[in-house]
Amino acid sequence: MLITMLQAQGIRECLRHNIPFAIYVLPGSDVPQFMASLPDDRGESHPGIVTDGADCFFISRFASDEPYMAGINAVMDEAQVIEYIASHPDVMYDAPCERPYLTSTRRVSYDEAYRNMTRRLRKDGGKVVLSRHEALWSGADITDVADEYFRHSPTAFRYLCFTPETGVWLGATPELLLESATDSGQIRTMALAGSRPTGDGTGEWDNKNIQEHEVVVSFITDTLASHGLEVSAGPLGELQAGPVTHLYTPITARGDIHSVGQIINDLNPTPAVAGWPRQLAIAEIDAFETHQRRCYSGIVGVRTGGKLRVYVNLRCAFAAPARLDGHDGWVYNLYAGGGLMPDSVLDDEWEETGRKMSALSLCIPDATPSPLQASFI
């Protein structure tokens, strides 16, 4: 296991008392880091990323949802939060109001959204990212699910967190939005768009995926250049994320960085998770998707030791404790999306989202699809 016994106890105690916490593992590492902090007087949990630059974890919603940054400040580690709860055994904070969906996205709803989006794309061009979710129930401990997912995603940014504003989220995202150290004058990011099944040959990528990727590269480089930075895009390559392989271009920018926060706002969301033109794509997502994305395709990350690491929240799930047939467990909403282009094929897009969700679903033992009879605890 990656998650230690003490960390697992800290997670369970925080979940039992609704104390904001996060446990995360950086790409290439096998050492989880835990942090927790108490809600403020309004029952909210805000990270210090903007106010004081302190070590923290943060998570936000997708652009078209409420623009809100929640998070955890590194006030307590796992031992300290266990000690705090032991000395305050009756402490109980408010549970989140939002709950996962008990039904998955219906294929007929997805097909209708696809038709509406591609009708405009084939007339005017551009790109729109269409997402869907899968509802599952499992009696397994979510800490064990997280540990399994962490171990199977070594190159991703992995996390399990809870805040009153967002509820519980679990993810392993391969996509870096921005990395920058304090006063370094350098930003590192990537374009990650275009996908095909891992192991599906080594031949040339099709035109649809190449064009989809080029849209993202252009957007990111233009956005960074608009801040007066010197931008350099590396060679086109591939990045494997479990059952899916993506086209990948590393991008760096150097210069006088006046506001990292403004750069993040300008980059987020990229066409990789929304589309292009961006505001039109977001409007179509609002109009045609039949679910709220919540924190899926928002941002998630950490500030530690003066370095800011911001990721796009992909390969993730929203979860809540629930009871089914007299057994306690968890309901999960797994999210995934795919970029629609004028020459997209409906069945290919549906199957792509299924592959993206499979990495997490395979880590949830004895999962029951669409748990309509489940009741939240």
Side-chain angles (χ1 to χ4, degrees):
M1 291 183 66
L2 296 186
I3 298 175
T4 68
M5 292 181 63
L6 192 65
Q7 288 172 337
Q9 183 182 351
I11 291 168
R12 294 180 181 114
E13 290 294 338
C14 285
L15 290 173
R16 187 174 296 118
H17 296 271
N18 295 324
I19 293 176
F21 80 92
I23 186 166
Y24 68 90
V25 191
L26 295 174
S29 172
D30 59 0
V31 181
Q33 303 292 332
F34 181 99
M35 64 177 71
S37 56
L38 301 180
D40 62 22
D41 293 340
R42 295 174 296 180
E44 297 175 347
S45 185
H46 297 280
I49 180 173
V50 175
T51 57
D52 56 20
D55 286 1
C56 62
F57 174 97
F58 50 88
I59 185 169
S60 78
R61 297 173 181 270
F62 178 63
S64 59
D65 285 353
E66 181 181 357
Y68 186 90
M69 185 77 75
I72 298 96
N73 295 304
V75 176
M76 296 181 282
D77 62 19
E78 56 269 35
Q80 290 168 324
V81 78
I82 291 168
E83 181 180 352
Y84 173 81
I85 293 171
S87 61
H88 301 79
D90 296 327
V91 66
M92 177 61 70
Y93 294 97
D94 292 339
C97 297
E98 284 189 300
R99 300 296 191 187
Y101 299 104
L102 292 176
T103 57
S104 303
T105 301
R106 296 189 304 158
R107 178 62 194 262
V108 65
S109 300
Y110 181 91
D111 290 0
E112 180 65 17
Y114 173 91
R115 283 190 291 269
N116 283 318
M117 289 175 170
T118 54
R119 184 179 298 117
R120 196 268 304 169
L121 293 174
R122 288 166 183 163
K123 177 176 176 289
D124 300 328
K127 173 185 175 180
V128 184
V129 176
L130 175 60
S131 72
R132 65 182 177 101
H133 72 276
E134 184 174 332
L136 301 173
W137 181 90
S138 171
D141 189 317
I142 194 170
T143 307
D144 295 335
V145 172
D147 187 80
E148 182 79 1
Y149 198 31
F150 289 1
R151 290 189 294 109
H152 281 81
S153 311
T155 62
F157 175 76
R158 294 146 283 172
Y159 73 92
L160 172 68
C161 74
F162 166 79
T163 75
E165 297 90 334
T166 64
V168 176
W169 281 82
L170 167 65
T173 174
E175 184 170 353
L176 176 71
L177 182 73
L178 181 146
E179 181 180 279
S180 182
T182 303
D183 299 327
S184 68
Q186 179 170 314
I187 285 172
R188 188 170 71 89
T189 182
M190 65 170 65
L192 196 70
S195 58
R196 66 184 181 186
T198 296
D200 191 18
T202 57
E204 296 294 324
W205 285 74
D206 61 36
N207 188 60
K208 180 263 183 186
N209 281 290
I210 292 173
Q211 289 187 345
E212 181 182 349
H213 184 79
E214 289 175 348
V215 167
V216 181
V217 173
S218 296
F219 170 80
I220 293 174
T221 55
D222 290 348
T223 299
L224 294 173
S226 73
H227 284 264
L229 302 177
E230 180 183 344
V231 185
S232 175
L236 177 64
E238 296 181 355
L239 188 149
Q240 182 179 334
V244 178
T245 296
H246 299 281
L247 285 171
Y248 160 76
T249 298
I251 299 170
T252 57
R254 295 176 176 84
D256 188 3
I257 301 171
H258 299 289
S259 172
V260 172
Q262 187 58 54
I263 293 173
I264 293 170
N265 289 337
D266 291 347
L267 286 173
N268 175 51
T270 74
V273 293
W276 187 259
R278 181 161 66 173
Q279 292 309 314
L280 177 57
I282 291 173
E284 290 185 336
I285 289 168
D286 283 345
F288 301 128
E289 287 189 351
T290 56
H291 56 271
Q292 281 196 325
R293 291 190 176 191
R294 295 167 172 157
C295 294
Y296 163 68
S297 66
I299 62 172
V300 63
V302 292
R303 181 194 289 278
T304 56
K307 179 173 283 190
L308 181 65
R309 298 177 176 91
V310 186
Y311 298 86
V312 182
N313 193 20
L314 305 176
R315 311 296 194 271
C316 58
F318 177 36
R323 184 171 291 118
L324 181 65
D325 298 331
H327 299 283
D328 290 348
W330 289 81
V331 167
Y332 298 83
N333 285 171
L334 283 61
Y335 287 88
L340 305 187
M341 299 289 287
D343 54 350
S344 290
V345 177
L346 175 58
D347 287 345
D348 290 350
E349 298 298 334
W350 177 267
E351 291 168 6
E352 177 184 321
T353 54
R355 282 191 296 272
K356 290 175 176 177
M357 289 186 283
S358 68
L360 176 50
S361 64
L362 290 173
C363 295
I364 304 175
D366 303 320
T368 299
S370 297
L372 280 170
Q373 305 307 314
S375 58
F376 293 109
I377 300 172

